[in-house]
Amino acid sequence: MSQALPVTYVTVMDVRRITPRTARVTFTGDGLPDIMAERPDQQMKLCLPRAGQRVPVLPRQDADDTYGMRWYEAYLAIPEDERPWMRGFTVRSYDRARNAMAVDFVLHGDDGPAARWGSAARPGDVLGMVGPSAAYARPLPASDWLLLAGDETALPAMATLLEALPDGTRALAYVEVADAAEEQDLAPAAGSEVRWVHRDRGGSLLRAVRAARLPGDGAGAAWLAGEAGAVRELRRHLVEERQLPKEAVEFSGYWRRRLTQDDAPTEEDLAWARERAGGSGA
C-alpha cells in the first residue's frame, strides 16, 4: 500500500556558514528516520513560519492522501497571513546515527523568506517539512557518460549525485556561482570532474556548456537544474545542437528570475511542466 506524502516538523541543531553566501543548517526530528532514504537528490519542501509564529501552522496529514493533494488544499485554505511560506530544498546529507539532516540555504540577499530565515536561523528554531517521497524520485537516465550543470541552488543536489556515482563514471559537472569564494569542497566519484563558473568574471553556465568538450563517445545524458530560463536554454542546446535525445536530459527549474514560488506559473512554465511529464512542448 502506498504511503502518504510525509509531513513532519524539524528542529535546528546547528547553523554553519560554509561560504559567504551559503548557510548549512542541520535539523533533527522524530519523523526523520522513517522518511529519509539512502539515495541522492532527495527533494522536499520546508515550511517557514510567518512573522510572530514560533512554529509554522500546518494541516493534519491524511494517511490515505498518497500524493498530498488534500493536504495541499488544506494548506492553501489557511489564511494568507498565517500560511507558512513553502520553499523547495534538497537534502544535502543525512546522518542516521545522529538523526541529523543537513540543508544548504543560499543567501541571495534579496530579502526573500528563505534567505531571510536562513540568515537568522538558530538552534531550537522549528520548521515544517513536506517530503521527501520516493514517489517523486527521478533517477538519472542510463548512459555511458553524464553532464551535470546548474547554479548554486542546484549545488546540493549535484553534490549528492556526484558522490553517489560509481567510481569510473565519466561525468563532467559545471557549477555557476557568484565568485571563487562560493566554491565548495566536493567529493565526486573517481572519474568525475567539477568545473566552476564565476559570474564576477563574466562567466555563465550556458556559455561554459556550449564551449565544453563532453566526456566521450557512447550514449550521453544530462542533468540540469537552477534558474528556469537558463535551464531551458541549456536543454535546447543539448537537444538541438548536441543531439542528445530528449529523454536523456533530466531538467528542473528551481527558481524564476523576477518571480517567486508564490507567483502563479507562466504559460512557459506550464508548457515546460507538460514537457517534463512527457507531453508536447518545446
Side-chain angles (χ1 to χ4, degrees):
M1 185 161 93
S2 297
Q3 292 183 335
L5 182 68
V7 179
T8 189
Y9 286 95
V10 291
T11 302
V12 175
M13 299 172 67
D14 178 66
V15 182
R16 185 164 56 94
R17 191 66 67 92
I18 60 171
T19 74
R21 297 179 178 89
T22 306
R24 179 160 294 165
V25 183
T26 303
F27 297 91
T28 191
D30 292 341
L32 290 178
D34 294 331
I35 60 178
M36 299 303 297
E38 303 300 324
R39 60 178 173 83
D41 194 14
Q42 294 191 75
Q43 304 291 320
M44 48 76 176
K45 303 283 188 181
L46 289 178
C47 300
L48 312 166
R50 291 278 182 168
Q53 295 177 343
R54 181 183 175 276
V55 177
V57 177
L58 295 177
R60 289 185 177 275
Q61 190 179 11
D62 183 341
D64 297 322
D65 188 14
T66 304
Y67 291 98
M69 298 305 295
R70 291 196 295 274
W71 183 91
Y72 189 62
E73 289 174 357
Y75 164 81
L76 291 177
I78 298 172
E80 186 175 0
D81 60 348
E82 300 177 17
R83 187 190 315 139
W85 286 286
M86 185 184 292
R87 294 294 184 266
F89 288 88
T90 302
V91 176
R92 179 61 185 88
S93 65
Y94 177 65
D95 183 335
R96 194 167 293 277
R98 297 173 54 229
N99 190 28
M101 176 185 71
V103 180
D104 289 353
F105 283 71
V106 178
L107 309 180
H108 295 285
D110 58 5
D111 204 34
R116 184 167 60 245
W117 186 91
S119 297
R122 297 292 183 272
D125 290 348
V126 177
L127 296 186
M129 187 171 85
V130 183
S133 172
Y136 296 96
R138 299 180 70 97
L140 291 171
S143 65
D144 298 310
W145 56 265
L146 179 66
L147 170 72
L148 300 99
D151 60 22
E152 52 269 88
T153 64
L155 183 50
M158 293 174 69
T160 65
L161 289 165
L162 286 165
E163 291 163 2
L165 291 174
D167 284 346
T169 301
R170 290 180 294 171
L172 175 62
Y174 281 92
V175 189
E176 180 187 303
V177 293
D179 52 42
E182 292 304 304
E183 294 185 14
Q184 297 182 22
D185 291 330
L186 304 180
S192 302
E193 181 182 356
V194 178
R195 298 179 182 174
W196 298 92
V197 180
H198 301 138
R199 285 191 297 275
D200 69 329
R201 299 178 186 171
S204 83
L205 201 59
L206 181 59
R207 286 197 298 273
V209 172
R210 282 183 177 278
R213 182 175 180 179
L214 297 182
D217 297 329
W223 181 97
L224 315 172
E227 195 280 319
V231 170
R232 279 192 285 266
E233 289 299 315
L234 282 168
R235 179 175 177 271
R236 290 188 183 113
H237 164 68
L238 292 173
V239 171
E240 297 173 8
E241 299 176 38
R242 300 281 191 157
Q243 301 296 302
L244 287 185
K246 286 185 177 182
E247 62 273 15
V249 183
E250 172 63 28
F251 59 103
S252 295
Y254 285 173
W255 61 285
R256 299 177 292 168
R257 203 173 302 279
R258 294 183 297 276
L259 295 172
T260 75
Q261 293 182 33
D262 300 312
D263 294 309
T266 65
E267 285 301 319
E268 191 170 13
D269 292 329
L270 295 173
W272 200 31
R274 289 192 294 270
E275 176 71 7
R276 280 178 56 84
S280 62

